[in-house]
């Protein structure tokens, strides 16, 4: 039946008999996720853009929609955005990356590719998760365009006021 406890020492004995006395469970173990061809696959998202990313060991080639990433993303800022997770993990020339991206504009697509590369790197090498998480590359940027409201010109802009 139910045991009554009169002192704090009795509470410690009750806890030891029924519940676990060990520390909290260990952090989840992340394992390598590869397909039949030895590639890691991940999906990255940003605004309305969705990027599908495949990573395999190679020379460091990055292809976006069957083009070199430097021709697809002509602006140096967007090229730097793609390189960030690879440089943070010191893996710039170790993997070939194939990306198909659709939706949104170039800036959103570059952010989606960066997110996808980061996730695929963690699937290929789970020990890189800490470095990429600390850099903020695994967090999906949830900011999207605010919807238009009725009675407004845009989301917040109202019609021009006229006194007469």
């Amino acid at each position: 039946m139910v045991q009554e406890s009169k002192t704090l020492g009795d509470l410690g004995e009750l806890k030891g008999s029924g519940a676990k006395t060990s520390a909290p469970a260990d952090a989840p173990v992340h394992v390598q996720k590869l397909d039949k061809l030895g590639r890691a696959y991940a999906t990255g998202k940003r605004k309305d853009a969705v990027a599908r990313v495949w990573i395999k060991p190679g020379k460091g080639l990055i292809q976006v929609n069957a083009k070199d990433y430097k021709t697809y993303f002509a602006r140096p800022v967007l090229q730097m955005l793609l390189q960030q997770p690879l440089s943070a993990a010191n893996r710039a020339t170790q993997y070939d990356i194939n990306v198909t991206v659709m939706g949104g504009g170039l800036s959103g697509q570059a952010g989606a590719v960066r997110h996808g590369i980061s996730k695929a790197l963690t699937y290929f090498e789970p020990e890189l998760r800490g470095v990429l998480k600390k850099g903020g590359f695994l967090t999906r940027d949830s900011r999207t365009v605010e919807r238009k409201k009725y009675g407004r010109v845009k989301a917040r802009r109202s019609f021009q006021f006229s006194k007469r």
Side-chain angles (χ1 to χ4, degrees), residues 136-152:
F137 301 119
L138 295 177
T139 306
R140 188 227 194 268
D141 191 352
S142 61
R143 296 176 295 168
T144 58
V145 178
E146 189 175 349
R147 79 170 189 87
K148 184 195 175 301
K149 279 73 169 190
Y150 61 89
R152 300 272 174 172

Side-chain angles (χ1 to χ4, degrees), residues 93-160:
T93 59
Q94 294 184 9
Y95 295 111
D96 285 345
I97 301 171
N98 191 10
V99 181
T100 58
V101 63
M102 56 188 0
L106 283 178
S107 176
Q109 286 184 353
V113 171
R114 179 180 110 161
H115 185 229
I117 288 173
S118 305
K119 283 174 63 176
L121 274 173
T122 60
Y123 293 153
F124 203 91
E125 288 188 61
E127 58 271 7
L128 293 177
R129 183 171 173 82
V131 174
L132 295 172
K133 186 78 171 169
K134 193 172 285 186
F137 301 119
L138 295 177
T139 306
R140 188 227 194 268
D141 191 352
S142 61
R143 296 176 295 168
T144 58
V145 178
E146 189 175 349
R147 79 170 189 87
K148 184 195 175 301
K149 279 73 169 190
Y150 61 89
R152 300 272 174 172
V153 176
K154 298 188 336 185
R156 297 187 180 198
R157 167 119 167 61
S158 57
F159 293 105
Q160 183 173 347

Side-chain angles (χ1 to χ4, degrees), residues 43-53 62 64-65 69-70 72-85 97 99-119 137 139 141:
T43 305
K45 295 182 179 180
R46 169 84 169 95
K47 292 187 177 180
D48 283 337
V50 179
R52 300 183 306 164
V53 179
I62 302 175
V64 179
N65 291 348
Y69 80 101
K70 290 187 178 182
Y72 191 84
F73 296 112
R75 296 198 328 239
V77 174
L78 301 180
Q79 295 173 14
M80 180 209 53
L81 210 63
L82 263 64
Q83 293 287 337
Q84 280 180 337
I97 301 171
V99 181
T100 58
V101 63
M102 56 188 0
L106 283 178
S107 176
Q109 286 184 353
V113 171
R114 179 180 110 161
H115 185 229
I117 288 173
S118 305
K119 283 174 63 176
F137 301 119
T139 306
D141 191 352

Side-chain angles (χ1 to χ4, degrees), residues 3 11-21:
Q3 298 176 356
L11 287 176
E13 293 171 10
L14 288 175
K15 182 180 177 186
S17 63
K20 282 187 175 181
T21 57

